[in-house]
Amino acid sequence: MTHYIIVTGMVLMSLVLYNKFYETAKINSAISTSQIMDQVNINLGYYIDGMSEVSNLVNDELNNDMITTGNNIDNLLEMALKLRKDIVTLAVFSKNGDLVASSSGLKLKKGLNVQQEEWFKEEKLNPESLHYSYPHVENLFTGKHLWVVSLSRETNINYNYKSVIKNDIVEKGVLLVNLNFSAIDELCHNVSLGKRGYMYIIDKYGNIIYHPQQQMIYAGLKKENIDFAVKRQEGNYIEDYNGEQTVVSIKNVKYTQWKLVGVSYNNDMITTQNDIYSYFVLILIVSIFIICGISILISARISMPIKKLEKIMRKVEQGELNIYADVEGEKEVRQLSKTFNLMIYKIRQLMEQIIEEQEEKRKSELKALQAQINPHFLYNTLDSIVWMAENDENDGVVQMVTALANFFRISISRGGDIIDIREELQHAKSYLIIQQIRYGDKFDFIIEEMPPSLIDHKTLKIILQPIIENAIYHGIKGMVDKGYIRISGQVIGDKICLCVTDNGLGMSMDKVSKILLKKEKKEKGSGIGVKNVHERIQLYYGREYGLEISSEVDEGTTVKIWIPLTGEQEGE
């Protein structure tokens, strides 16, 4: 019963609102038409006023004694041409129709009698006024065929410069300004009054200045009751034309004898009435559905807390664990929400525990990798020391023992995983000294000087020595010629690049592409191994860091070690 009462009330209210809206629509339509007409009239006034200003400026300059025929007038017209983009041509004619000067040096068409032009006749009939023509094709000058509106007026022409003896010859002439008709077309083209209404412009004789269907009128396909508008003064009129009732609004265009005529159809209002009726019927139908929907929503409100909790559970299912279910409702729903929150808390605790365990596992793996130091290097070095001692090479023994001590001091580094790059370079140097003594003149090495901003930075320890060891055993050891090893470093963006280059035997691109991918296996003399270093760096810093190897057979190998510029904080 309640539903019927509400629907009946809505129907009655819709009828009242329908009548009110229809009357308001009629008033607004009349106001809108008037405002549109006024705005177009104002814009036309600005346009005509702009033409007048150009002609006044040129006329004032022509009345100046210093402006005479020849280049002075040509220059004046050329400057005026630049004042507005819609000016097509400017010209000055004598009273006999002879061309005195023109913009851009334009030439009259042969056999043309300017005195027969309408704008010229109008100026002669009333020389005190400005005369505006209806649109026509510009046919005075060669090479010009645009649709223009012409402004003509009387002006003065000085034929001589001013001298001590006054002998100026001043004659009356005609100033012509042609403006592109497209400017008027743009002002009126997109304006419409209602669904079918339109505007047009005529002069005092009924000549069409602008009409949206001008070509159809000229072709006889459409008729326009121009005589009605010519005979009427400014105002609004009701007219029956072609079997339809129209409202004709007439306004005079400022500065001219043109009329702006607006035509709107009363049938458009009937269409508008039907649109409003359809709109209210639609509203009524939608409202009925809304009432039914509200009833359904009220009954469904009881289940809303469950749906809210279900939505939160779906977020958890998608991986969002930082969530809290604050669901209000019946006692059972609140208890379910509380249990759900406790479950999420336990899950977060377990995940944090797993993350900690994985971090400890990562650190253990890192330490295990660092512990893989080949004891053969120590055995071979001690054998070399014994051999030099037996041969009384005391200086060599001292140098090698010192280098070995520095080597192991930095290797141990009080059990820490992170050292300065300066220490890492010293560790590499100690290793190179030991190997250089062992192999005699087999190779030379150089460690390039690096800026303090680089060597004072932190790095994982023992990342250079395995690369150098690999270069000696697999690159230089098998060479006939003398080898060299160069160590350099630089900061590139937010990364540090340490580079080890040798001129050894090199390797193929296929081997280079596989060297960091193959399973770790013990290689004679490989020490910790190149892949070991790569894995240590990626375990500690992330997958975007590690080794980059480039090599060419018989040309040598370059290994770049990439570590982050901000990596010194972790693990210290």
Side-chain angles (χ1 to χ4, degrees):
M1 185 65 181
T2 305
H3 294 339
Y4 292 117
I5 295 174
I6 294 174
V7 171
T8 302
M10 290 188 64
V11 171
L12 294 175
M13 185 181 296
S14 298
L15 291 174
V16 173
L17 291 175
Y18 166 76
N19 291 326
K20 180 63 177 177
F21 283 167
Y22 177 68
E23 293 299 323
T24 304
K26 289 174 63 177
I27 296 172
N28 290 340
S29 177
I31 294 173
S32 176
T33 299
S34 178
Q35 290 176 341
I36 292 172
M37 294 281 291
D38 288 339
Q39 186 60 51
V40 173
N41 197 19
I42 290 171
N43 292 338
L44 284 172
Y46 286 148
Y47 176 79
I48 300 301
D49 189 47
M51 293 177 66
S52 303
E53 288 178 358
V54 173
S55 69
N56 291 337
L57 176 63
V58 176
N59 184 59
D60 292 342
E61 292 297 325
L62 288 173
N63 289 330
N64 187 344
D65 292 341
M66 296 303 294
I67 301 296
T68 65
T69 55
N71 292 333
N72 284 4
I73 297 181
D74 289 339
N75 293 337
L76 172 62
L77 298 183
E78 198 64 36
M79 291 177 59
L81 186 66
K82 298 177 181 179
L83 293 178
R84 289 177 58 150
K85 293 182 179 180
D86 53 351
I87 298 177
V88 177
T89 53
L90 294 102
V92 178
F93 296 89
S94 69
K95 282 294 184 179
N96 297 325
D98 297 325
L99 179 64
V100 176
S102 64
S103 60
S104 304
L106 297 172
K107 303 296 182 183
L108 286 176
K109 293 181 179 179
K110 292 182 179 180
L112 180 69
N113 186 358
V114 175
Q115 295 184 17
Q116 298 301 317
E117 298 293 323
E118 289 296 327
W119 56 268
F120 196 92
K121 293 178 182 179
E122 285 285 343
E123 194 283 328
K124 292 186 70 175
L125 290 174
N126 191 0
E128 301 299 326
S129 303
L130 300 177
H131 305 283
Y132 299 89
S133 74
Y134 59 88
H136 61 279
V137 176
E138 205 289 323
N139 60 352
L140 296 178
F141 303 101
T142 58
K144 295 289 183 178
H145 304 287
L146 297 174
W147 276 81
V148 297
V149 175
S150 298
L151 181 153
S152 57
R153 66 178 298 163
E154 185 182 71
T155 190
N156 293 326
I157 306 173
N158 294 306
Y159 281 89
N160 292 292
Y161 285 101
K162 190 174 182 180
S163 60
V164 177
I165 301 175
K166 294 185 178 180
N167 56 359
D168 299 82
I169 300 174
V170 179
E171 290 187 0
K172 296 296 181 180
V174 179
L175 170 63
L176 174 68
V177 180
N178 283 333
L179 271 80
N180 198 325
F181 174 69
S182 63
I184 294 179
D185 185 77
E186 289 176 0
L187 287 175
C188 304
H189 180 71
N190 294 324
V191 177
S192 61
L193 305 176
K195 292 184 177 180
R196 295 184 296 154
Y198 57 88
M199 292 189 303
Y200 64 91
I201 306 171
I202 56 175
D203 65 11
K204 63 181 179 179
Y205 302 113
N207 295 314
I208 295 176
I209 305 298
Y210 167 81
H211 196 290
Q213 297 175 322
Q214 194 163 339
Q215 299 299 325
M216 296 180 66
I217 293 174
Y218 288 160
L221 301 176
K222 178 180 173 60
K223 292 183 179 180
E224 188 63 65
N225 194 4
I226 295 176
D227 292 337
F228 180 89
V230 171
K231 296 174 183 178
R232 298 296 188 276
Q233 299 296 321
E234 191 175 48
N236 298 317
Y237 305 90
I238 303 296
E239 179 197 18
D240 289 321
Y241 188 64
N242 292 334
E244 288 191 88
Q245 190 177 65
T246 60
V247 178
V248 179
S249 301
I250 301 175
K251 294 185 180 292
N252 295 324
V253 180
K254 190 178 179 182
Y255 306 114
T256 70
Q257 295 180 342
W258 295 354
K259 289 183 177 181
L260 176 64
V261 184
V263 180
S264 56
Y265 292 84
N266 282 342
N267 285 343
D268 287 351
M269 285 303 301
I270 296 175
T271 304
T272 302
Q273 182 181 7
N274 293 334
D275 291 342
I276 295 174
Y277 176 78
S278 300
Y279 179 72
F280 272 92
V281 170
L282 178 63
I283 289 178
L284 183 60
I285 294 172
V286 171
S287 299
I288 292 172
F289 277 104
I290 290 175
I291 291 172
C292 296
I294 290 174
S295 300
I296 295 172
L297 288 174
I298 291 174
S299 61
R301 186 176 179 180
I302 300 173
S303 61
M304 285 300 293
I306 300 295
K307 291 182 178 180
K308 183 178 179 181
L309 187 58
E310 180 187 6
K311 185 177 180 180
I312 295 173
M313 288 180 177
R314 290 188 182 278
K315 290 183 178 180
V316 174
E317 183 180 355
Q318 295 170 2
E320 186 177 346
L321 295 177
N322 293 322
I323 197 168
Y324 180 79
D326 186 14
V327 179
E328 297 294 333
E330 300 298 325
K331 179 180 178 181
E332 294 79 7
V333 176
R334 293 198 303 271
Q335 183 62 37
L336 182 61
S337 174
K338 181 179 179 181
T339 305
F340 174 81
N341 290 331
L342 181 61
M343 178 190 71
I344 295 299
Y345 174 75
K346 291 293 185 181
I347 290 174
R348 284 202 300 265
Q349 275 191 325
L350 289 172
M351 290 189 67
E352 290 172 0
Q353 181 179 346
I354 291 172
I355 291 172
E356 290 178 1
E357 290 175 354
Q358 290 297 320
E359 180 65 20
E360 290 299 323
K361 181 180 177 182
R362 184 184 70 85
K363 291 180 179 179
S364 298
E365 290 176 349
L366 183 61
K367 291 183 180 297
L369 287 171
Q370 288 181 331
Q372 296 177 16
I373 300 176
N374 191 343
H376 289 92
F377 167 71
L378 178 59
Y379 301 155
N380 293 334
T381 302
L382 292 175
D383 284 342
S384 298
I385 293 173
V386 171
W387 179 82
M388 285 187 291
E390 290 175 348
N391 288 277
D392 295 328
E393 295 182 14
N394 297 327
D395 292 339
V397 171
V398 172
Q399 187 178 7
M400 183 172 281
V401 170
T402 302
L404 185 62
N406 289 331
F407 179 82
F408 279 105
R409 177 181 58 81
I410 296 172
S411 296
I412 297 170
S413 63
R414 297 181 301 278
D417 297 327
I418 302 299
I419 60 174
D420 293 338
I421 292 180
R422 177 187 286 104
E423 292 181 289
E424 179 65 18
L425 292 172
Q426 181 60 46
H427 183 263
K429 183 178 179 181
S430 299
Y431 179 78
L432 284 166
I433 290 172
I434 294 170
Q435 294 291 45
Q436 193 177 44
I437 295 172
R438 287 186 58 209
Y439 286 97
D441 294 330
K442 188 65 178 178
F443 69 89
D444 286 330
F445 70 88
I446 181 172
I447 300 177
E448 294 184 355
E449 186 176 354
M450 302 176 199
S453 60
L454 189 150
I455 63 175
D456 288 340
H457 214 72
K458 299 291 185 180
T459 181
L460 274 173
K461 69 181 181 181
I462 316 178
I463 59 174
L464 286 173
Q465 181 267 330
I467 309 302
I468 297 169
E469 183 178 354
N470 197 69
I472 294 173
Y473 282 106
H474 299 284
I476 295 175
K477 187 176 180 181
M479 289 176 57
V480 176
D481 299 327
K482 189 172 185 178
Y484 74 86
I485 296 174
R486 185 178 74 252
I487 301 174
S488 59
Q490 59 181 324
V491 177
I492 301 177
D494 60 350
K495 295 181 180 180
I496 293 175
C497 178
L498 299 176
C499 187
V500 178
T501 303
D502 68 72
N503 67 336
L505 299 176
M507 52 188 144
S508 64
M509 292 301 298
D510 183 61
K511 187 173 182 180
V512 169
S513 63
K514 295 178 180 179
I515 193 168
L516 297 179
L517 299 177
K518 65 183 181 179
K519 292 184 178 179
E520 183 76 20
K521 68 178 182 177
K522 205 70 172 179
E523 297 181 12
K524 184 178 179 181
S526 64
I528 297 176
V530 175
K531 187 171 183 294
N532 184 303
V533 174
H534 183 66
E535 289 179 349
R536 288 170 58 212
I537 293 174
Q538 291 198 333
L539 275 172
Y540 196 85
Y541 295 120
R543 304 295 297 179
E544 65 269 32
Y545 303 100
L547 303 186
E548 179 185 342
I549 303 174
S550 58
S551 183
E552 188 174 344
V553 177
D554 296 329
E555 294 294 331
T557 302
T558 297
V559 179
K560 293 181 179 179
I561 305 171
W562 295 95
I563 59 174
L565 190 61
T566 57
E568 68 270 25
Q569 286 85 2
E570 291 189 72
E572 290 193 48

